Amino acid sequence: MISINPQDSRPLYEQIEDNFMKLIAAGIMREDDKLPSVRSLASQLAINPNTIQRAYRELEAKGFIYSMPGKGSFVSGSVDAADSRKQELLGQFDEVSQQLIDLGCTAEELSNRLKEGKSDD
């Protein structure tokens, strides 16, 4: 369910955070679903529990999850969190698209890339 990539340059907590955001956005994890405990996920991924705790704090700050003391962390029902993340990613997309256009990439190339849903290897 949650995986980390040692070759990814992003910090582990960001990778974990992104994994959960994708699961929530895709509807795999739904409102009020319980997230794994910090200890169990840290054990499963063989990483420091503080890393999991940081990812959970970030997710909560962004509105994707909520915590109940003594009970754990749960998926929030907030549509605003998903919309906020979508807007954030669209902003990044706009910036990258403009940089590619500035480097000579055509709108058709960008469109084809989106239609393919993947990048060149």
Side-chain angles (χ1 to χ4, degrees):
M1 182 158 112
I2 300 297
S3 61
I4 53 174
N5 179 355
Q7 280 74 41
D8 192 327
S9 62
R10 296 175 301 151
L12 295 177
Y13 80 91
E14 284 184 10
Q15 293 183 49
I16 294 163
E17 184 183 347
D18 284 349
N19 272 260
F20 277 115
M21 286 190 293
K22 287 176 186 174
L23 291 171
I24 293 167
I28 295 167
M29 293 190 77
R30 299 180 187 273
E31 182 176 355
D32 296 325
D33 281 354
K34 190 174 190 313
L35 276 67
S37 72
V38 169
R39 285 185 186 170
S40 69
L41 188 54
S43 176
Q44 175 189 337
L45 298 175
I47 61 175
N48 189 310
N50 292 331
T51 303
I52 305 298
Q53 188 62 46
R54 182 166 181 188
Y56 283 14
R57 276 195 314 269
E58 294 290 328
L59 287 164
E60 189 166 12
K62 292 179 180 177
F64 281 89
I65 67 170
Y66 63 94
S67 296
M68 295 182 65
K71 299 202 184 263
S73 296
F74 302 85
V75 175
S76 170
S78 173
V79 175
D80 293 337
D83 286 343
S84 174
R85 178 66 175 157
K86 181 178 171 182
Q87 292 306 314
E88 178 185 340
L89 290 172
L90 284 171
Q92 292 174 10
F93 174 79
D94 291 344
E95 290 175 23
V96 169
S97 296
Q98 186 59 54
Q99 289 176 24
L100 286 166
I101 289 168
D102 292 345
L103 292 171
C105 191
T106 67
E108 183 179 359
E109 289 173 310
L110 291 174
S111 177
N112 288 340
R113 181 65 63 104
L114 285 172
K115 288 175 188 174
E116 293 170 9
K118 60 182 181 181
S119 61
D120 293 337
D121 290 322

